[in-house]
Amino acid sequence: MTDIPAVSAEMEAVCELAREAGDKRVEGRALTALAQVTLYRDTDHVRARELANEALRVIDAGDDVGRFDALETVAITRWWEGDLAEVEQLANQKLEIAERIGRPDLQAGVLLEMADIHDVRLEPALAQESLERAVELADESGSQRSRAWTLRMA
């Protein structure tokens, strides 16, 4: 997603075509991509949240990967807005999905987010607990990226 203007134009077209075709899976992913573009290019966290929430309404309940990605985008907007309670609730939803689909790399990322929440709340023991579990899961995942990401925080 390095060519943001192209991604924006393409995802708007993809979203419209998917909507016309009744393809909720593709429409949801396009809405999530548009939300990310809106967030990072336009710095419009309100509109980005609206688009990501629209994606969540469109994405089938059984589409765990699509739901995870949309929840991730909503969570970023809530971070920007300083709504830690909502960020924590979204993190718990993402953690449940990551566990259900057997993705320890995603679990590790969510636990890093939980550690950040605990740090902001000045809860160092809880932050450390989340961080230690994230490192374990990153190792378990075998993902070099996940390991590097967690170890930079440890």
Side-chain angles (χ1 to χ4, degrees):
M1 210 165 85
T2 57
D3 187 356
I4 298 290
V7 169
S8 179
E10 290 171 6
M11 286 303 108
E12 286 176 16
V14 167
C15 187
E16 187 58 36
L17 290 170
R19 189 173 290 131
E20 290 171 6
D23 190 335
K24 301 290 187 188
R25 181 179 178 277
V26 172
E27 182 184 358
R29 282 165 172 73
L31 285 165
T32 299
L34 285 170
Q36 293 168 353
V37 166
T38 301
L39 186 62
Y40 295 119
R41 180 191 66 190
D42 304 335
T43 64
D44 185 347
H45 60 95
V46 174
R47 181 67 182 138
R49 183 171 19 87
E50 290 169 354
L51 287 165
N53 280 324
E54 184 179 347
L56 287 169
R57 285 189 294 278
V58 168
I59 295 169
D60 291 332
D63 182 356
D64 286 328
V65 173
R67 294 192 71 72
F68 185 96
D69 291 342
L71 288 168
E72 179 75 15
T73 304
V74 174
I76 294 167
T77 68
R78 291 306 197 175
W79 267 112
W80 285 26
E81 296 165 356
D83 188 347
L84 288 181
E86 182 70 10
V87 172
E88 183 175 32
Q89 179 189 4
L90 293 163
N92 285 325
Q93 290 178 47
K94 291 186 302 179
L95 189 58
E96 182 180 304
I97 290 170
E99 289 170 350
R100 183 171 48 248
I101 64 176
R103 291 283 306 271
D105 58 324
L106 294 180
Q107 292 172 0
V110 174
L111 286 167
L112 286 177
E113 186 175 11
M114 294 296 287
D116 287 342
I117 292 167
H118 293 305
D119 277 339
V120 170
R121 289 183 176 158
L122 303 177
E123 301 167 336
L126 292 173
Q128 186 63 33
E129 182 180 310
S130 293
L131 184 57
E132 288 171 1
R133 183 66 181 133
V135 171
E136 290 171 10
L137 286 164
D139 284 342
E140 179 184 315
S141 77
S143 165
Q144 292 300 316
R145 181 177 181 183
S146 183
R147 286 196 72 234
W149 197 250
T150 55
L151 291 175
R152 79 170 180 78
M153 300 291 294

